[in-house]
Amino acid sequence: MRGTLVLSFGLFILSTATGHAQDLNFRNPEQAPPSWAQFAKLVKYRFEEWIAADEAVANRFRNWVVEHSGKENGPPPTLVVRAWLNPDGTVERVAFPAFNDAGATEDLRTILKRGNVGEAPPPEMLQPLNLRFSLNLRKP
């Protein structure tokens, strides 16, 4: 029986990087301007769309998650993805801990960098956005 991959995202933190990990400044999401939370929800929605797309890379990634979920070499139950967006709404880069499978890591990176989220980040929004993925499997 084929499972359906359900991804849930939550806004983890909003931050700005100044070059080194120890130099990160964090803003609690509850204290962030509403426009930041709204933009993070848009990014979440786009990432969900791109992962759910019926195309080769997304299908391959979802199949890997289904086949390896709960196994030692499989995906973690929670994954934090850091995303930087350009002023035009395109995803500049993403960072997340690598999977035990280099192909799955590259597939997710390709998926998340695939396009434009449809809006520019709000003025003065701290970056990167740190989004928490929960990888859950549900039977159809």
Side-chain angles (χ1 to χ4, degrees):
M1 180 176 268
R2 188 173 165 224
T4 301
L5 178 65
V6 176
L7 294 174
S8 60
F9 292 70
L11 180 63
F12 180 49
I13 51 176
L14 300 171
S15 64
T16 183
T18 59
H20 300 288
Q22 64 268 29
D23 294 334
L24 294 178
N25 296 313
F26 296 101
R27 170 93 43 110
N28 183 324
E30 290 81 31
Q31 298 172 343
S35 62
W36 294 9
Q38 193 171 25
F39 184 75
K41 286 179 184 177
L42 174 64
V43 173
K44 165 201 159 304
Y45 177 76
R46 291 294 182 241
F47 282 3
E48 288 173 342
E49 276 188 328
W50 299 342
I51 290 169
D54 186 16
E55 58 83 36
V57 176
N59 290 337
R60 186 173 56 228
F61 177 72
R62 288 191 314 272
N63 287 335
W64 177 81
V65 172
V66 169
E67 291 172 14
H68 294 88
S69 184
K71 296 180 181 175
E72 185 177 327
N73 66 342
T78 301
L79 180 69
V80 175
V81 175
R82 297 172 57 189
W84 290 261
L85 288 97
N86 292 315
D88 67 354
T90 56
V91 179
E92 178 182 337
R93 66 183 166 121
V94 294
F96 53 89
F99 299 120
N100 289 330
D101 181 296
T105 299
E106 192 53 36
D107 283 349
L108 182 58
R109 186 175 322 285
T110 298
I111 293 165
L112 298 180
K113 288 184 62 182
R114 78 174 30 188
N116 190 306
V117 298
E119 278 184 32
E124 300 179 11
M125 182 173 189
L126 302 179
Q127 291 196 47
L129 276 81
N130 289 275
L131 302 170
R132 183 178 308 193
F133 286 74
S134 291
L135 302 176
N136 298 303
L137 296 176
R138 245 187 234 163
K139 298 288 181 194

